[in-house]
Amino acid sequence: MAENQSNANGSLKKYDEHVPEIKFTKLFINGEFVDSVKGRTFETIDPRNGQVTARVAEGDKEDVDLAVEAARHAFDDGPWPRMPGYQRGRIMSKFADLIEENIDELAALDTIDAGKLFSICKVLDIPQAATLLRYYAGAADKIHGEVLKMSRELHGYTLQEPVGVVGHIIPWNFPTTMFFMKVAPALAAGCTMVVKPAEQTPLSALFYAHLAKKAGVPDGVINVVTGFGSTAGAAISSHMDIDMVSFTGSTEVGRVVMQAAATSNLKHVSLELGGKSPLIVFDDADLEAATDLALTGILFNKGEICVAGSRVYVQERIYEEFEKKLVAKAKDWSVGDPFDPNVHQGPQADKKQFEKILSYIEHGKREGATLLTGGERVGTEGYYIQPTIFTDVKEDNMIVKDEIFGPVMSLMKFKTVEEAIKRANDTRYGLAAGILTKNIDLANTVSRSIRAGVIWINCYFAFDNDCPYGGYKMSGFGRDLGLDGLHKYLHVKSVVTPIYNSPWL
Amino acid sequence: MAENQSDANGSLKTYDDHVPEIKFTKLFINGEFVDSVKGRTLETVDPRNGQVTARVAEGDKEDVDLAVEAARQAFDHGPWPRMPGYQRGRIMSKFAVLIEENIDELAALDTINGGKLFSFSKAMEIPYAVTSLRYYAGAADKIHGEVLKMSRDLHGYTLREPIGVVGHIIPWNGPATMFMMKVAPALAAGCTMVVKPAEQTPLSALFYAHLAKKAGVPDGVINVVNGFGPTAGAAISGHMDIDMVSFTGSTEVGRIVMQAAATSNLKQVSLELGGKSPIMVFDDADLDSATDLALTGILVNKGEVCVAGSRVYVQERIYEEFEKKIVAKAKAWSVGDPFDPNVRQGPQASKEQFEKILSYIEHGKREGATLLTGGAPLGTKGYYIQPTIFTNVTEDNVIVKDEIFGPVMSLMKFKTTEEVIKRANDTRYGLAAGILTKNIDLVNTVSRSIRAGTIWINCYLAFDNDCPFGGYKMSGFGKDYGLDALHKYLHVKSVVTPIYNSPWL
């Protein structure tokens, strides 16, 4: 059998019984599932075999208008922003419970939509979404303003008020995680929202909308408009009655979103964009753990993660052994049907991504990079690609500069700490970075020297609900997760009154 | 003599001795006063008489490039971001002392540039800017990250790191205040910067740059490039090596700045834009103080304040008496040479503004509004306009919708609390609002109901260094003043490491 292959084609038939019944295919507006105004639908494709799974309602500007109307009414006049934070928290907790009761079905939807590993969705993605909801549920009644220390006889304080109607534009790589990363804090803040899931992965979002209503989220608070970026997405970024747009996706589309916000109503914008994150392995690192981490860093979710450790720098003393170990592990990494519990890597999310990654791989070969392993597709059906490692490349090679968003690593050697820092920072991106060393001084120096929003020391992908997450430079601005994620959906209002005969200021 | 006139023309001769010698007219880049690359200069005009005061170097893209280069070098390799916050604070404090030693000259520069009242600049505006500098000097060594409460065996904390090179684009209405409002927190944060003062008011910024150097601010940390918006300003918003742009000005230009940021390098943006702020006078308000407050709210700095209380709503029971009192006070408000200590209002800042305001006044007359007082220019030289009050208008009228940025008030009557809340919120802006009443319940309800960033209760223009200031809706986003402004110039970086055998998380 070819390297990495795990019956990628022969075994597809075995998993058909895992494919769930698709229950929700319409837009969710003001608490109801409705067809789009124009009556259009679009196909959603299973990346395991390239086949059409379902047809889903396709929303456009008119549908976004209806959704915003519902969200505006729910915000200006509905109960959600007005109820105590505790009550919002109770409803969000019920929502979390309902998610846990439907884990298998939700995980299966993300598997057939995005090619994600079923077993990982079941134990990680979906349960984490529930914990994230509960984290913000518990924060909803602890939203504090401050009393200020004025410099004359004034009483001044700040209120943190919900921003209003929020537009969430979410990507296809983590349909569940991304949905809740945005929806959960906005709900806790008392905002109402219009969610536009990626066109590649519309299914689980619609199920979540159904569960939200079941949990008691009032009509109009969460609206889901599935559709395309240039139509539904653009309608959101440029809407005159949306107060804020929160976008996760590519840097190119991030620009378009920000421009649309500027030319429309100057809505608040938060962008979580691409990355080309470096993993720096110092020569005191344990080779077993380091190679495992580096491989997971690029292959987790088939490389379709904004913080993928796509540039791996290894200190020269341990380079040869590291390269040998890593390549052997990469060759062993099994690629196949994501329902197969023994498989490490499913198919890329769609044909476009598949072709884009292969074209970057070809470019790498043409640029004269050395291909250590992989570099080809797996099988003849679906969008499977071999774990791929290039070496003999530098920061000006295209495959080292651009975000490939696939299972393709650039492996490089370095001598000194100063060199590693310089090269790690030689990128327009600044999302994350990994540092592998036990030396405390190295860890402190290098963590402060890398211009990135998240630094993982002796770990990678170590996300946590309480840990703010977001980029420097062209990886975007604004933070998700943590209380920073909550504050993003809150306005600061200052209230000032004179005081008289006060003992002190 | 005509209403409001205070020898607006006859007495100009007696103040020529107050016009200071113009010492600094070149660009300030990397610690040196230099000509612009193209050698061009621009005229700066005295709004008291329309005459040219001086020619100042005119910066364009090439000059901004040089300034950014200097700022980048100062940030990436210079001492400023690396020294302890305490040391930055000491230098900023020296800067504050030097400003106090030169107050007369600095006040005079703003008077001949912006038509600002000399006595007010000396006693209030510049000393207040100095307190802002000291406020942030004292904050520079108290910049805290947080240790997070992770949900598994991880140690996570956030660092607050200076964003990098900041572009400040400042307006002409308060050259001293605006310069310090932006420069002070950015300095405290350890950033370096390129400041583009408004082309109408270039003089004091250059003097401040000279004093900054004298105080010990290292070369390249503060650069000042005078010039026009579409050239120097655009070069800043669109620069690929500026990490953040902080803009105060009109909503129209705010859009352009945000778009340029999006199409260039997705730099962070903060915008403090226009307003059409309402003052609501309830019928338990004291008429004398209410009319004083309302008049000051629109006439301070000749109405050239973003938070001008340009819409005044008076509850019907007291309306007639209020209208009578305020018109009498407006007629007694003296307009004349801003060096004259007895004058309350100087000229508008430029010919362009002068003509714009007069055109809005004409529009008001044509729309059928009732002109209670004012409505005409004063004198034959310079840009003086009478305090103007219109009534019998609604939120549909152009003069009630648009920001006029001049001494023009729209006075309206209201019946109920619900009505005034609705009408106060009926605007695309959301910068500030004033509420005049002693009733605690009314205060609490209305302050939460108005969608604006600053609510002043029984006071107006009650700014304070510790009090965050910024808009809702199309008045912008991001805060100035307070610790919020300092945080604006700081990135949040998360650092995460596994822990072992810890007694607790």
Side-chain angles (χ1 to χ4, degrees):
Chain A
M1 209 189 311
E3 229 158 49
N4 302 116
Q5 185 133 358
S6 169
N7 295 328
N9 295 307
S11 65
L12 279 171
K13 289 194 174 51
K14 276 202 290 198
Y15 296 105
D16 278 354
E17 75 260 28
H18 280 66
V19 176
E21 176 202 342
I22 314 297
K23 296 180 185 146
F24 306 104
T25 55
K26 298 192 182 198
L27 311 179
F28 186 76
I29 297 179
N30 207 23
E32 304 298 329
F33 281 101
V34 293
D35 290 310
S36 64
V37 167
K38 288 199 180 117
R40 286 213 288 256
T41 58
F42 66 97
E43 294 175 345
T44 181
I45 304 226
D46 188 335
R48 301 175 304 138
N49 50 36
Q51 288 166 23
V52 176
T53 321
R55 294 202 73 92
V56 170
E58 184 194 329
D60 202 327
K61 189 180 178 312
E62 315 77 41
D63 307 287
V64 169
D65 284 342
L66 289 172
V68 173
E69 224 179 282
R72 173 58 61 199
H73 182 73
F75 184 79
D76 285 357
D77 307 303
W80 192 250
R82 287 156 192 79
M83 63 175 70
Y86 177 79
Q87 261 181 266
R88 284 197 291 279
R90 295 299 301 132
I91 293 169
M92 290 168 70
S93 298
K94 283 205 196 84
F95 190 3
D97 291 343
L98 290 171
I99 290 170
E100 287 174 335
E101 288 169 20
N102 288 275
I103 275 188
D104 277 48
E105 192 166 345
L106 289 160
L109 288 175
D110 283 350
T111 298
I112 62 170
D113 240 359
K116 295 173 69 60
L117 293 184
F118 179 68
S119 53
I120 302 274
C121 282
K122 264 190 76 164
V123 307
L124 221 59
D125 288 54
I126 319 267
Q128 267 179 3
T131 67
L132 195 55
L133 252 182
R134 291 196 180 102
Y135 173 90
Y136 286 110
D141 56 353
K142 302 172 184 71
I143 294 173
H144 296 159
E146 290 185 297
V147 174
L148 309 163
K149 198 69 181 170
M150 306 297 265
S151 56
R152 51 196 195 290
E153 282 171 295
L154 294 165
H155 170 58
Y157 61 90
T158 54
L159 289 166
Q160 302 245 35
E161 306 190 324
V163 169
V165 176
V166 183
H168 296 304
I169 300 177
I170 64 185
W172 43 263
N173 58 339
F174 285 86
T176 290
T177 309
M178 291 294 159
F179 185 95
F180 288 100
M181 204 186 250
K182 297 200 179 303
V183 168
L187 281 177
C191 293
T192 61
M193 55 212 82
V194 179
V195 181
K196 186 200 108 38
E199 58 269 24
Q200 296 86 341
T201 53
L203 301 177
S204 57
L206 295 172
F207 201 142
Y208 289 122
H210 159 74
L211 294 177
K213 176 158 178 155
K214 208 168 163 190
V217 175
D219 292 348
V221 173
I222 299 177
N223 302 276
V224 180
V225 178
T226 44
F228 294 87
S230 47
T231 46
I236 285 175
S237 322
S238 61
H239 209 282
M240 292 302 290
D241 204 20
I242 285 178
D243 301 297
M244 173 179 182
V245 62
S246 173
F247 171 82
T248 294
S250 72
T251 296
E252 290 63 46
V253 181
R255 285 188 202 286
V256 175
V257 168
M258 190 170 168
Q259 281 179 78
T263 52
S264 55
N265 67 343
L266 288 159
K267 55 176 66 61
H268 290 230
V269 176
S270 90
L271 302 177
E272 201 266 279
L273 306 178
K276 193 73 183 184
S277 303
L279 184 66
I280 308 172
V281 187
F282 288 92
D283 60 22
D284 69 324
D286 170 70
L287 277 172
E288 270 315 311
T291 44
D292 279 342
L293 222 64
L295 205 60
T296 311
I298 189 55
L299 298 183
F300 183 67
N301 202 46
K302 44 236 172 61
E304 289 165 357
I305 180 165
C306 41
V307 290
S310 44
R311 293 184 290 149
V312 178
Y313 296 92
V314 181
Q315 202 156 25
E316 61 177 6
R317 195 175 63 75
I318 55 165
Y319 180 85
E320 287 206 36
E321 241 206 292
F322 184 99
E323 188 196 275
K324 214 161 63 180
K325 265 196 196 298
L326 183 78
V327 169
K329 289 180 180 178
K331 288 188 193 301
D332 255 349
W333 195 262
S334 67
V335 179
D337 191 297
F339 280 115
D340 181 344
N342 298 314
V343 141
H344 289 116
Q345 179 182 320
Q348 308 306 134
D350 70 357
K351 188 161 195 259
K352 190 166 158 216
Q353 283 305 116
F354 174 73
E355 288 173 347
K356 179 176 160 205
I357 297 160
L358 288 177
S359 117
Y360 269 114
I361 290 175
E362 287 317 302
H363 199 105
K365 292 174 182 169
R366 281 201 311 276
E367 278 186 304
T370 302
L371 184 66
L372 291 173
T373 183
E376 306 289 333
R377 79 179 290 182
V378 178
T380 52
E381 250 178 40
Y383 314 129
Y384 299 87
I385 297 181
Q386 291 176 325
T388 299
I389 303 177
F390 280 105
T391 192
D392 296 325
V393 280
K394 301 191 319 290
E395 289 74 29
D396 46 23
N397 286 104
M398 192 190 276
I399 59 169
V400 184
K401 265 207 296 224
D402 288 7
E403 184 185 39
I404 298 174
F405 224 65
V408 182
M409 178 198 292
S410 289
L411 180 63
M412 294 167 279
K413 189 190 312 186
F414 76 91
K415 241 189 175 83
T416 65
V417 182
E418 293 69 32
E419 178 198 343
I421 290 170
K422 190 163 183 287
R423 293 173 69 182
N425 280 332
D426 186 5
T427 166
R428 59 179 174 273
Y429 294 111
L431 197 48
I435 303 170
L436 306 190
T437 179
K438 292 292 186 181
N439 183 302
I440 187 175
D441 295 332
L442 214 52
N444 283 331
T445 299
V446 181
S447 58
R448 277 165 164 74
S449 305
I450 307 289
R451 303 292 282 164
V454 185
I455 310 290
W456 288 310
I457 300 171
N458 298 328
C459 58
Y460 209 74
F461 299 139
F463 288 99
D464 194 276
N465 290 332
D466 197 36
C467 188
Y469 163 70
Y472 277 33
K473 297 156 71 174
M474 289 178 72
S475 290
F477 43 79
R479 295 290 177 256
D480 284 316
L481 299 180
L483 294 178
D484 291 56
L486 177 59
H487 292 150
K488 209 169 66 185
Y489 298 105
L490 297 162
H491 264 316
V492 170
K493 168 190 275 178
S494 299
V495 184
V496 180
T497 325
I499 46 175
Y500 306 94
N501 306 319
S502 176
W504 43 62
L505 294 175
Chain B
M1 210 186 313
E3 228 154 53
N4 302 113
Q5 186 130 0
S6 170
D7 292 327
N9 295 306
S11 63
L12 278 171
K13 285 196 178 47
T14 52
Y15 295 106
D16 277 355
D17 51 343
H18 279 65
V19 177
E21 176 202 343
I22 316 295
K23 294 179 185 146
F24 305 104
T25 56
K26 297 189 183 202
L27 310 180
F28 186 75
I29 296 180
N30 207 22
E32 304 299 328
F33 281 101
V34 292
D35 288 310
S36 65
V37 167
K38 287 198 180 120
R40 287 214 290 257
T41 58
L42 59 94
E43 288 180 348
T44 179
V45 174
D46 187 335
R48 301 174 304 136
N49 50 37
Q51 287 165 20
V52 175
T53 322
R55 294 203 74 91
V56 167
E58 183 195 330
D60 203 325
K61 189 181 181 310
E62 315 76 41
D63 307 287
V64 168
D65 285 342
L66 289 171
V68 172
E69 224 177 279
R72 173 57 60 198
Q73 172 75 12
F75 184 78
D76 285 355
H77 307 290
W80 192 250
R82 287 155 192 78
M83 62 174 72
Y86 176 79
Q87 259 180 267
R88 283 196 292 277
R90 294 300 302 132
I91 293 170
M92 291 168 69
S93 298
K94 283 204 197 84
F95 188 8
V97 169
L98 289 172
I99 293 171
E100 285 173 330
E101 287 170 10
N102 289 274
I103 258 193
D104 277 52
E105 193 164 344
L106 288 161
L109 288 174
D110 283 350
T111 297
I112 61 169
N113 243 184
K116 298 174 70 58
L117 292 184
F118 179 70
S119 53
F120 187 84
S121 287
K122 252 191 84 162
M124 300 290 284
E125 191 149 347
I126 300 183
Y128 185 73
V130 169
T131 67
S132 299
L133 192 51
R134 290 201 175 99
Y135 173 91
Y136 289 107
D141 57 352
K142 303 173 183 72
I143 292 173
H144 296 159
E146 291 186 294
V147 175
L148 308 164
K149 199 68 179 170
M150 308 297 265
S151 55
R152 52 195 194 289
D153 285 336
L154 293 165
H155 169 58
Y157 61 88
T158 54
L159 289 166
R160 299 202 105 116
E161 307 189 324
I163 278 187
V165 175
V166 184
H168 296 302
I169 301 176
I170 66 184
W172 43 261
N173 60 335
T177 307
M178 291 295 158
F179 184 93
M180 226 37 92
M181 195 191 259
K182 297 204 178 301
V183 167
L187 281 178
C191 292
T192 60
M193 56 211 81
V194 179
V195 182
K196 187 201 106 43
E199 58 270 24
Q200 295 87 342
T201 53
L203 300 177
S204 58
L206 295 172
F207 203 143
Y208 288 121
H210 159 76
L211 294 176
K213 175 160 180 154
K214 210 167 160 191
V217 175
D219 291 348
V221 173
I222 300 178
N223 304 275
V224 180
V225 177
N226 282 303
F228 293 90
T231 46
I236 286 175
S237 323
H239 209 281
M240 293 303 289
D241 202 19
I242 286 179
D243 301 297
M244 173 184 187
V245 61
S246 174
F247 171 83
T248 295
S250 72
T251 296
E252 290 63 47
V253 180
R255 284 187 200 287
I256 295 174
V257 168
M258 189 171 169
Q259 281 179 78
T263 51
S264 55
N265 67 344
L266 287 158
K267 57 176 66 62
Q268 301 204 26
V269 176
S270 89
L271 302 176
E272 200 266 281
L273 307 176
K276 194 72 183 186
S277 304
I279 295 182
M280 291 155 274
V281 187
F282 289 86
D283 60 22
D284 68 325
D286 170 68
L287 277 173
D288 252 316
S289 41
T291 44
D292 280 340
L293 221 66
L295 204 60
T296 310
I298 190 57
L299 297 183
V300 81
N301 202 43
K302 42 236 170 62
E304 290 165 356
V305 189
C306 43
V307 289
S310 44
R311 294 184 289 148
V312 178
Y313 296 92
V314 181
Q315 203 156 24
E316 59 177 9
R317 194 175 63 74
I318 54 164
Y319 180 85
E320 287 205 35
E321 241 205 292
F322 184 100
E323 188 196 275
K324 215 160 59 181
K325 265 198 195 302
I326 201 169
V327 169
K329 288 179 180 178
K331 286 186 194 301
W333 194 266
S334 65
V335 179
D337 192 296
F339 280 116
D340 181 344
N342 298 313
V343 143
R344 324 265 322 249
Q345 179 180 321
Q348 308 306 133
S350 70
K351 186 161 195 262
E352 199 193 327
Q353 284 304 115
F354 174 72
E355 288 174 345
K356 178 177 161 207
I357 298 160
L358 288 176
S359 119
Y360 268 115
I361 291 175
E362 288 316 303
H363 198 107
K365 293 173 182 170
R366 281 200 313 274
E367 279 186 303
T370 302
L371 185 65
L372 292 173
T373 183
L378 263 173
T380 51
K381 269 197 324 217
Y383 314 131
Y384 299 86
I385 298 182
Q386 293 175 323
T388 300
I389 303 178
F390 280 104
T391 192
N392 292 326
V393 281
T394 60
E395 289 74 28
D396 296 327
N397 288 101
V398 166
I399 60 167
V400 183
K401 267 208 291 227
D402 288 8
E403 182 185 42
I404 298 175
F405 223 64
V408 181
M409 176 198 293
S410 288
L411 181 62
M412 296 167 279
K413 190 191 311 188
F414 75 93
K415 240 188 173 86
T416 66
T417 306
E418 292 69 32
E419 176 200 343
V420 78
I421 288 169
K422 191 164 183 287
R423 292 174 69 184
N425 281 332
D426 185 5
T427 166
R428 61 180 170 274
Y429 294 111
L431 198 49
I435 303 170
L436 307 189
T437 178
K438 292 293 189 181
N439 184 301
I440 188 174
D441 295 331
L442 212 53
V443 161
N444 284 329
T445 299
V446 182
S447 58
R448 278 166 165 73
S449 305
I450 306 293
R451 301 292 282 166
T454 298
I455 310 289
W456 288 308
I457 299 166
N458 298 328
C459 55
Y460 207 71
L461 299 162
F463 288 99
D464 195 277
N465 286 326
D466 199 36
C467 188
F469 168 69
Y472 277 34
K473 297 154 71 171
M474 289 176 74
S475 290
F477 43 80
K479 296 294 182 199
D480 287 313
Y481 289 137
L483 295 178
D484 291 53
L486 179 57
H487 294 155
K488 207 168 68 181
Y489 298 106
L490 297 161
H491 265 316
V492 169
K493 169 189 274 178
S494 297
V495 184
V496 181
T497 327
I499 46 176
Y500 306 93
N501 305 320
S502 175
W504 43 63
L505 295 175

